[in-house]
Amino acid sequence: MHESYLTYLDLLTELTGKLDQLTTLAQQKIEAVRRDDLSALDAVLKQEQVLSLSLRGLEQRRGTLTAQLNLGGVRLSGLPDRYPPELYPQAKQTAELLRRSYDLYHAAAQAARVTLETNLHELEKLIDSMGGAPEPGTPGYTPPAAEPPKNMKTDFRA
């Protein structure tokens, strides 16, 4: 039975590592935006997508283990209390490290979001100062009411 508890701690340690990687990527995202480096920003976003897929896998494993250990609904702060006494110190340390990593990630992600939003607002102001977006009917703009040819239409109500 202790094996399952240790496996769950290993999973939480792996999750801590993924959060640390996401924190690093959020910081790289901020730097890419500040340098106006779209290719670097694109590379960071692709790495984030890969990490998000691995987080989905971790979440599935976590769900299985929490059901197995009867830890469903237990908050991270209460996790060590639900562990066997001999594993309590290890569970407490793992939970604290995960919580710290999450807090760091949350702060970095918030900073990245604010940086991106600020730059988008600046871009909108620049576009407006240059005369705004192209008007419908001007070259390079496809009107939204364009109908596809009949042979390309499908009926999704079937």
Side-chain angles (χ1 to χ4, degrees):
M1 184 66 161
H2 287 329
E3 174 105 8
S4 295
Y5 283 105
L6 290 173
T7 300
Y8 189 65
L9 291 180
D10 289 343
L11 181 130
L12 295 180
T13 300
E14 190 176 345
L15 178 58
T16 301
K18 300 289 183 193
L19 286 173
D20 291 343
Q21 289 176 341
L22 283 170
T23 301
T24 301
L25 289 175
Q27 293 164 345
Q28 290 175 0
K29 189 186 304 181
I30 292 169
E31 281 304 308
V33 169
R34 287 184 179 154
R35 289 189 325 260
D36 294 328
D37 188 348
L38 289 178
S39 61
L41 179 61
D42 185 50
V44 169
L45 292 175
K46 286 178 182 174
Q47 291 174 22
E48 278 184 338
Q49 287 176 338
V50 169
L51 273 174
S52 72
L53 290 174
S54 66
L55 286 173
R56 285 184 192 158
L58 285 177
E59 177 58 25
Q60 289 173 347
R61 286 179 32 215
R62 188 198 64 78
T64 302
L65 283 169
T66 54
Q68 203 175 59
L69 297 170
N70 198 24
L71 294 173
V74 175
R75 297 178 64 91
L76 189 59
S77 59
L79 182 69
D81 296 329
R82 302 287 299 270
Y83 261 64
E86 60 273 12
L87 294 176
Y88 179 88
Q90 188 177 356
K92 183 173 171 71
Q93 180 185 17
T94 301
E96 288 173 357
L97 288 173
L98 178 56
R99 181 66 190 174
R100 196 172 309 127
S101 286
Y102 174 78
D103 289 341
L104 288 172
Y105 166 68
H106 188 264
Q110 180 73 9
R113 184 181 66 79
V114 168
T115 302
L116 282 166
E117 286 177 353
T118 301
N119 279 16
L120 284 173
H121 288 301
E122 288 176 16
L123 189 58
E124 287 174 348
K125 286 179 187 176
L126 179 65
I127 289 171
D128 286 343
S129 71
M130 297 174 76
E135 294 296 321
T138 59
Y141 183 82
T142 305
E147 290 246 354
K150 278 194 181 271
N151 62 350
M152 293 182 73
K153 291 184 183 181
T154 55
D155 184 7
F156 290 106
R157 296 175 288 161

